[in-house]
Amino acid sequence: MAALTRSRERIPASFWPLLALTLLGVGLAIYRLVVGLGPSTNMNDHYPWGLWITIDLFLIPVAGAAFTISLISYFLGREDYHSVIRPAVLAGFIGYGIVGILLFLDIGRWNQFYNILVPGYINLHSFLEEISLCITLYTGILVLEIAPVFLEKWGYKTPIRWIERGIFIIAGAGIVLSMLHQSSLGSLFLLMPHKLHPLWWTPALPLLFYLQAVYTGLGTTAIAVRLIWGALKLPINRDLFRRIGQAMSINLMLYAAIKVGDWMGSEEVPLLLRPDAFGLIAWLQFLIGIVLPLGILLSKLVGHTSGPFWAGVFALIGTFIDRLVVSWVGLAEPSPVTYFPSWIEIMIMVGMIAGGFLLYGAVVRYFRLFPEPEHAHS
Amino acid sequence: MLETSIQETAVRQGISRRDFLKFCSMMAGVLALPRSYATRIENALATPQRLPVIWLEMQDCAGCTEALLRATQPTVSQLVLDVLSVDYHETIMAASGNLAEEAKQATIKAGGYLLVIEGSIPVGEGEFYCTIGGKSALQQLQEAAANAVAVVAVGNCAAFGGWPYASPNPTSASFVTEIIKDKPVMNLPGCPYNPVNLTAAVVHFLTFGELPAMDDLHRPLFAYGSRIHDDCPRRGHFDAAEFVVAWGDEGHQKGWCLYKMGCKGPVTFHNCPAVEYNDGTSWPIKAGHGCIACSEPNFWELGVYNLANLQQYAPPDTYAPVQLPTQKIDPATAGVIGALAGLAVGAAGVAAYQALSKPDKEETPPEKKAKQ
Amino acid sequence: MTISRRDFLKVAGLAVGCALAVPETVQASLPSTDPNEQIAMLYDATICVGCNACTNACRQWNGTTPEPDARLVYDAPTELSADTFTLIQLYQGEDGVFSFVKRQCMHCVDPACVSGCPVQALQKTTDGPVVYDPERCIGCRYCQYVCPFHVPRFEWDVARFPVVAKCHFCYESRIIPGIGGPACADRCPTSALIWGKRGDLIAEARKRISENPTRYVDHIYGEDDAGGTSVLYLSAVPFENLGLEDLGTRSIPEISEETAELVLPGILIGAPILLGMIRLTAKRGGWEDTWPL
């Protein structure tokens, strides 16, 4: 299929700006390591976590598309989903790579970052420790899962066979670890019942974060697959999208039920009716991130090839707002000091994401990420 | 009777003009007047004047008199007091008996004198605990005050009752301002008072013809206008939290603040740090013991080694204010987030509407359709 | 979906085996000492005169850098910082009502920071004080994030390598060597700030309240608040006015720790079940030996 083989000489127009942004991001990252967090970021004692943590909290469920697809494919049969597993795992791998780099840049004593792995230091009560361990292991699993894409191109057949033999354990561990740390991201905030705005804090945070990660991952998959198939002019598997959309709507409804149930149970509904900024943000998040996607997915538009795509877009916006509020906007602090990311923080983040796109595009271009259509039904 | 001025007397006594002028400047200083007033004081003292004084001792220990007599200071000071024609002073006058009484009556009749009272005055049932020359102290006071120009109560006893006034006050002691209501009264409390302040008050009187400005306890502001704490040379140690905690400890040897040893400097108004006692020899804090507030009414109730109450009534605004935790979004953040959200949703909304309202053109391959 | 008896037993046996193997979940790193036997401080805001001797003593003892006011004359910090472990703030209400309040680490009985620190850089000692070890710290600032009293501060302007800063009760520098109590408590001229055994201080505080009922708000802040703290407060004005919020009596880490204790059993029980189900459906679908990659 000609569509799959690209001319090696023609570099797409997006390459150069992405490269520039990536190099800028890398340079600024080095600057941050040299001068410290104070001069390079706007984080302060009242807002110790900022944009990078927000992006991490957003990218992890998005990159969790990898685990969501793995999970669903095992239950619903690889034939329907195998075509999307590779792109999903690659997105996961790159996403977690960006998260790892941003986390490394975020911690102040980065020369001792390996302390999170030292047995004598590990605090199993701390969800931050759990997340660190999970992410470390999960990144390793993603490396193993994506390795065949590279190994087959370079002709290392033996390692591929080892991976295929152990794939059940590898993928299984990936699924378990992923579920674990998606919910642990929510558990992080269990330690701040009084500091986080009551419309967002609930003892059910781990469950809410997990469900959100599932539907966000599905949404990301719908978006990524739709874009890539559209760009490569491959035929669309509408049944695939329908199933993604249905799975998404179930999780969205569960999420909505728990969220609203918690608001009612904790008598927080009056907070939604007050004319203040936080009530407004809660409404926006709910309408854009839950109601709008459900509106698309529960109608006949779920069968539309772009239905789950747009539902995913809105769900992702809603997830972003949620993670933004939880990481710094919703904090109660005894100070008039506020936080808005510095341009260096923004450009480092932009640079890393640009690098991610660059890498993704390179892999799509030079490696076999998608099956040849003839093999699609074997 | 005097026809020569203080200045002339000074000259005759061999005191140089320079020393005389120095004295006038010093008095201006003690009176908290600008230095230019030294000239006015000099002029006043150069004018022949006569100021008779009757000095009555009531229930006293004569400590205030002794303080006065200890003034070995600038001889001119002594002169001022000498020259004041102290017509009646039981401790120091030579006369006694009827002769002394007659001299007093004569002065009273002539009028225009300064009445100085030392010691508390028993009243009511205890009136006769103090009798002098057959009359009670109270009678003596009332008679003497009748023609006086002004009354000066020296020492805590005359000003606020002093030690005799302390519970149970067995002699029903009282003090000048409780008894004399129709004459200007100036209190110079202290135990003893500081004679430099009397000298300065007299100089003021000679220069301006009236008693100096006083607070609501009749104490002249130049001497009782600020707290010991405010002028204390050890204040820096207080501010740096360097306190003596035991007699003879390292802090004590270094001259640290005596607050924790009970110093009442923070609640006592007096100019001891500035003028010191015994002609500038020393004063309690300089000697290493805290102030006991001897110029304040009822000072004995404070307890020498209890901590003074430092409570202010209105703390200054220089303190860091308590901040209460609130959730807030600053307008800039809200604006940017709102704009981004609006753009994202708006763009997505428009695009979504366009995509989803169009008929679905993408077709699945025929093989797939058969499988469905 | 039909499952053969054999397959069911296989999965169930694996799950039960793992469940039995669940080790004793690691108890919270709290020593099992009675909090009332631990050392603590009592701050009586009605006696405090705002002299800042405590701020100064802490400055001198720890050798931290002063934070000058705008005229560069006085050391005048306005809030805790990487250089200021304690300070006095002023609350001014109506009708001339005012009160000072001392800010510092509360050395909670069950601290959120200790529960949250991934590498146990913050630890609750058996004697009571919560201490910090920069050797372990990775500078993630999670402790800053979760502290309900907004205490820990960070050296933002240090590049290599910043530490988290907070009051350490002068535990290793003064209490253990027997020099005395915390520098601030030893310096307080009015004895508004005293230290000793927590149980004794609570008894003293109760005595003060009962002997002077009109002088105090009838509550010892820190006795139960947020599970109890080792820095106790007495006040004449409502505690909310002093920035000491009503945090309830439940310790902050309780919910988080209860959830954390579910993790290991959850994995060891849930994983085999989940993977077993996956294996079974893969078998049924006939693709258990191939992999789409």
Side-chain angles (χ1 to χ4, degrees):
Chain A
M1 306 295 284
L4 281 175
T5 48
R6 291 270 186 193
S7 159
R8 295 292 188 259
E9 292 83 36
R10 212 183 73 227
I11 294 179
S14 59
F15 175 78
W16 295 109
L18 283 178
L19 182 66
L21 286 172
T22 308
L23 290 175
L24 178 63
V26 170
L28 288 174
I30 295 172
Y31 175 72
R32 167 260 171 284
L33 291 175
V34 166
V35 303
L37 286 166
S40 54
T41 72
N42 280 348
M43 290 188 280
N44 52 65
D45 284 324
H46 292 286
Y47 293 94
W49 284 1
L51 180 68
W52 293 338
I53 296 294
T54 307
I55 290 302
D56 288 342
L57 290 176
F58 178 68
L59 279 180
I60 289 176
V62 163
F67 100 82
T68 316
I69 291 303
S70 301
L71 182 64
I72 293 178
S73 84
Y74 271 102
F75 278 106
L76 296 176
R78 66 175 182 106
E79 285 183 38
D80 295 87
Y81 288 82
H82 81 273
S83 49
V84 301
I85 284 189
R86 275 197 173 186
V89 171
L90 181 64
F93 172 67
I94 291 176
Y96 273 82
I98 295 175
V99 165
I101 294 172
L102 286 177
L103 276 176
F104 181 78
L105 289 175
D106 203 317
I107 61 177
R109 297 172 73 78
W110 42 268
N111 62 323
Q112 297 183 159
F113 80 96
Y114 51 80
N115 279 356
I116 51 166
L117 300 171
V118 172
Y121 293 171
I122 289 177
N123 176 10
L124 284 177
H125 295 266
S126 164
F127 281 102
L128 193 57
E129 172 64 27
E130 257 203 61
I131 290 167
S132 310
L133 289 175
C134 279
I135 289 183
T136 309
L137 290 170
Y138 189 66
T139 309
I141 286 176
L142 282 172
V143 167
L144 287 175
E145 286 194 351
I146 202 62
V149 172
F150 302 99
L151 292 173
E152 72 187 10
K153 174 98 187 220
W154 297 326
Y156 295 108
K157 294 227 169 33
T158 325
I160 295 180
R161 238 178 290 136
W162 290 340
I163 292 174
E164 284 179 0
R165 285 236 190 91
I167 199 59
F168 178 69
I169 301 291
I170 295 172
I175 291 168
V176 171
L177 282 171
S178 206
M179 281 171 69
L180 190 58
H181 78 254
Q182 295 291 355
S183 68
S184 294
L185 283 186
S187 305
L188 268 185
F189 304 101
L190 289 176
L191 273 178
M192 30 203 299
H194 305 280
K195 279 176 102 165
L196 189 57
H197 194 283
L199 282 175
W200 277 267
W201 191 89
T202 154
L205 269 170
L207 188 54
L208 286 174
F209 264 58
Y210 171 70
L211 291 168
Q212 193 171 54
V214 175
Y215 73 69
T216 303
L218 289 166
T220 312
T221 308
I223 293 170
V225 173
R226 181 74 182 82
L227 285 174
I228 293 167
W229 279 0
L232 296 179
K233 308 249 186 310
L234 289 172
I236 305 287
N237 184 340
R238 301 176 76 162
D239 191 50
L240 170 69
F241 279 112
R242 183 190 302 272
R243 293 199 197 222
I244 291 177
Q246 283 167 345
M248 238 178 109
S249 59
I250 293 174
N251 282 284
L252 278 165
M253 287 190 286
L254 277 172
Y255 182 93
I258 296 175
K259 192 89 176 157
V260 172
D262 173 68
W263 280 342
M264 283 163 49
S266 309
E267 290 160 20
E268 286 157 5
V269 176
L271 292 171
L272 286 167
L273 303 172
R274 267 201 255 149
D276 81 336
F278 286 98
L280 189 63
I281 294 178
W283 276 105
L284 275 174
Q285 181 191 323
F286 200 77
L287 290 172
I288 299 172
I290 313 273
V291 174
L292 216 43
L294 274 176
I296 296 174
L297 297 171
L298 291 176
S299 70
K300 63 173 165 52
L301 289 169
V302 68
H304 194 293
T305 46
S306 293
F309 174 87
W310 287 108
V313 168
F314 292 123
L316 252 65
I317 294 176
T319 301
F320 183 80
I321 295 176
D322 188 56
R323 304 296 164 109
L324 183 69
V325 171
V326 143
S327 56
W328 54 272
V329 173
L331 276 192
E333 289 291 326
S335 169
V337 160
T338 55
Y339 164 78
F340 192 81
S342 69
W343 72 271
I344 295 180
E345 284 176 84
I346 295 172
M347 290 321 292
I348 289 179
M349 173 196 84
V350 167
M352 297 299 136
I353 294 178
F357 278 114
L358 215 54
L359 191 57
Y360 203 97
V363 173
V364 168
R365 200 174 147 82
Y366 295 112
F367 298 85
R368 190 176 71 93
L369 206 60
F370 295 94
E372 305 295 303
E374 303 93 282
H375 303 312
H377 313 296
S378 55
Chain B
M1 294 271 269
L2 259 173
E3 266 111 18
T4 48
S5 70
I6 291 166
Q7 185 191 29
E8 284 169 342
T9 316
V11 165
R12 231 187 284 141
Q13 293 271 4
I15 292 164
S16 71
R17 178 159 167 76
R18 191 187 198 187
D19 282 337
F20 180 73
L21 291 173
K22 264 203 232 169
F23 171 75
C24 294
S25 293
M26 185 194 104
M27 279 293 112
V30 173
L31 286 168
L33 293 167
R35 272 180 56 185
S36 50
Y37 275 82
T39 319
R40 219 170 140 179
I41 291 172
E42 183 206 337
N43 291 338
L45 298 183
T47 313
Q49 301 189 61
R50 184 180 171 268
L51 184 61
V53 169
I54 293 182
W55 187 301
L56 297 181
E57 291 183 56
M58 309 307 190
Q59 282 188 145
D60 71 326
C61 67
C64 295
T65 296
E66 290 296 328
L68 183 71
L69 296 176
R70 292 303 143 252
T72 57
Q73 240 263 315
T75 326
V76 189
S77 219
Q78 192 67 18
L79 276 180
V80 170
L81 297 171
D82 275 348
V83 136
L84 278 178
S85 181
V86 181
D87 291 347
Y88 182 89
H89 191 311
E90 286 148 17
T91 303
I92 62 178
M93 67 189 186
S96 62
N98 288 334
L99 218 57
E101 280 301 306
E102 277 168 22
K104 187 172 78 171
Q105 293 302 331
T107 311
I108 290 174
K109 218 178 183 164
Y113 55 89
L114 199 67
L115 178 63
V116 180
I117 305 292
E118 180 183 351
S120 59
I121 306 104
V123 297
E125 291 185 356
E127 188 182 335
F128 291 95
Y129 276 119
C130 181
T131 57
I132 307 142
K135 294 188 192 149
S136 73
L138 180 61
Q139 274 176 290
Q140 296 271 7
L141 172 61
Q142 283 162 339
E143 279 179 12
N147 259 1
V149 158
V151 182
V152 179
V154 296
N156 198 300
C157 296
F160 302 127
W163 300 102
Y165 194 73
S167 171
N169 195 351
T171 61
S172 303
S174 179
F175 46 92
V176 175
T177 41
E178 270 193 353
I179 300 164
I180 303 298
K181 307 285 190 190
D182 57 348
K183 291 279 173 181
V185 178
M186 179 172 73
N187 285 332
L188 291 175
C191 189
Y193 78 116
N194 197 321
V196 171
N197 292 333
L198 179 62
T199 311
V202 166
V203 167
H204 186 287
F205 193 82
L206 292 175
T207 309
F208 301 103
E210 58 182 14
L211 290 174
M214 300 186 279
D215 66 10
D216 55 4
L217 289 176
H218 296 270
R219 300 178 299 191
L221 288 171
F222 73 81
Y224 300 89
S226 58
R227 277 172 283 247
I228 306 262
H229 189 53
D230 297 329
D231 298 328
C232 183
R234 297 194 181 193
R235 180 61 185 271
H237 292 294
F238 174 89
D239 289 336
E242 290 169 337
F243 298 104
V244 175
V245 289
W247 300 119
D249 71 1
E250 183 203 358
H252 202 201
Q253 289 168 37
K254 286 186 176 170
W256 284 3
C257 174
L258 294 157
Y259 176 75
K260 276 189 155 183
M261 303 306 283
C263 177
K264 300 297 182 302
V267 297
T268 308
F269 290 87
H270 209 174
N271 60 353
C272 312
V275 298
E276 301 189 354
Y277 274 86
N278 289 331
D279 300 328
T281 302
S282 189
W283 60 295
I285 288 168
K286 184 170 173 179
H289 189 282
C291 165
I292 62 169
C294 71
S295 60
E296 294 295 315
N298 304 319
F299 68 92
W300 47 87
E301 289 171 3
L302 296 174
V304 175
Y305 299 109
N306 295 348
L307 296 179
N309 185 1
L310 287 173
Q311 210 77 12
Q312 302 274 353
Y313 293 106
D317 289 333
T318 50
Y319 279 96
V322 168
Q323 304 271 13
L324 302 177
T326 49
Q327 269 116 356
K328 63 193 132 349
I329 304 178
D330 68 300
T333 309
V336 173
I337 293 177
L340 286 174
L343 269 168
V345 175
V350 167
Y353 180 73
Q354 286 179 340
L356 296 174
S357 57
K358 272 197 295 221
D360 198 358
K361 274 194 280 200
E362 301 285 348
E363 286 294 327
T364 49
E367 302 97 323
K368 255 309 199 179
K369 239 191 187 147
K371 272 208 166 157
Q372 280 169 356
Chain C
M1 178 173 101
T2 51
I3 308 169
S4 74
R5 211 169 117 89
R6 189 192 241 179
D7 288 328
F8 176 79
L9 284 174
K10 264 201 231 170
V11 173
L14 185 58
V16 170
C18 284
L20 289 175
V22 170
E24 288 277 328
T25 50
V26 175
Q27 286 306 311
S29 53
L30 291 180
S32 47
T33 332
D34 174 15
N36 283 346
E37 293 295 312
Q38 296 178 326
I39 52 178
M41 279 199 272
L42 173 64
Y43 172 78
D44 189 331
T46 67
I47 306 179
C48 175
V49 295
C51 71
N52 273 296
C54 49
T55 312
N56 189 265
C58 179
R59 195 53 100 225
Q60 285 177 351
W61 185 257
N62 291 294
T64 51
T65 316
E67 292 171 17
D69 60 350
R71 294 172 300 155
L72 302 179
V73 175
Y74 291 108
D75 176 22
T78 51
E79 58 166 357
L80 297 175
S81 75
D83 272 314
T84 301
F85 304 159
T86 184
L87 86 160
I88 297 291
Q89 288 180 337
L90 170 68
Y91 156 72
Q92 282 179 306
E94 294 169 350
D95 298 325
V97 170
F98 73 92
S99 177
F100 294 105
V101 58
K102 184 174 189 283
R103 293 252 99 85
Q104 80 284 303
C105 174
M106 303 290 273
H107 297 280
C108 304
V109 167
D110 190 4
C113 60
V114 169
S115 173
C117 179
V119 290
Q120 296 182 65
L122 285 161
Q123 297 182 333
K124 174 84 173 169
T125 56
T126 42
D127 282 328
V130 175
V131 296
Y132 169 76
D133 182 4
E135 287 301 309
R136 298 184 174 210
C137 178
I138 59 172
C140 69
R141 311 182 300 283
Y142 191 41
C143 53
Q144 279 198 293
Y145 206 66
V146 300
C147 175
F149 300 106
H150 315 273
V151 166
R153 304 282 150 142
F154 190 67
E155 287 184 326
W156 295 98
D157 292 325
V158 172
R160 286 172 299 281
F161 287 94
V163 292
V164 165
K166 71 170 191 71
C167 161
H168 46 80
F169 217 92
C170 293
Y171 182 59
E172 275 153 34
S173 55
R174 290 176 69 93
I175 295 185
I176 290 185
I179 295 177
C184 52
D186 279 350
R187 189 72 76 80
C188 179
T190 56
S191 300
L193 184 66
I194 56 178
W195 74 286
K197 212 155 59 159
R198 189 170 184 269
D200 294 342
L201 292 176
I202 291 178
E204 166 66 22
R206 282 218 191 97
K207 181 161 148 283
R208 288 187 197 180
I209 294 177
S210 69
E211 284 175 2
N212 301 282
T214 51
R215 183 183 169 119
Y216 295 103
V217 166
D218 187 10
H219 179 56
I220 306 167
Y221 192 88
E223 192 182 356
D224 298 320
D225 301 82
T229 65
S230 290
V231 179
L232 307 157
Y233 285 76
L234 284 173
S235 165
V237 304
F239 288 102
E240 299 81 55
N241 295 343
L242 300 180
L244 294 168
E245 303 174 276
D246 179 7
L247 299 174
T249 55
R250 207 174 175 189
S251 85
I252 304 289
E254 218 178 280
I255 299 176
S256 174
E257 301 229 334
E258 279 169 5
T259 311
E261 279 172 16
L262 293 173
V263 168
L264 209 50
I267 298 175
L268 293 171
I269 297 175
I273 295 178
L274 176 68
L275 296 177
M277 286 170 63
I278 290 174
R279 186 76 175 166
L280 286 167
T281 55
K283 260 193 172 162
R284 187 181 76 93
W287 59 75
E288 79 266 19
D289 292 318
T290 55
W291 175 244
L293 289 183

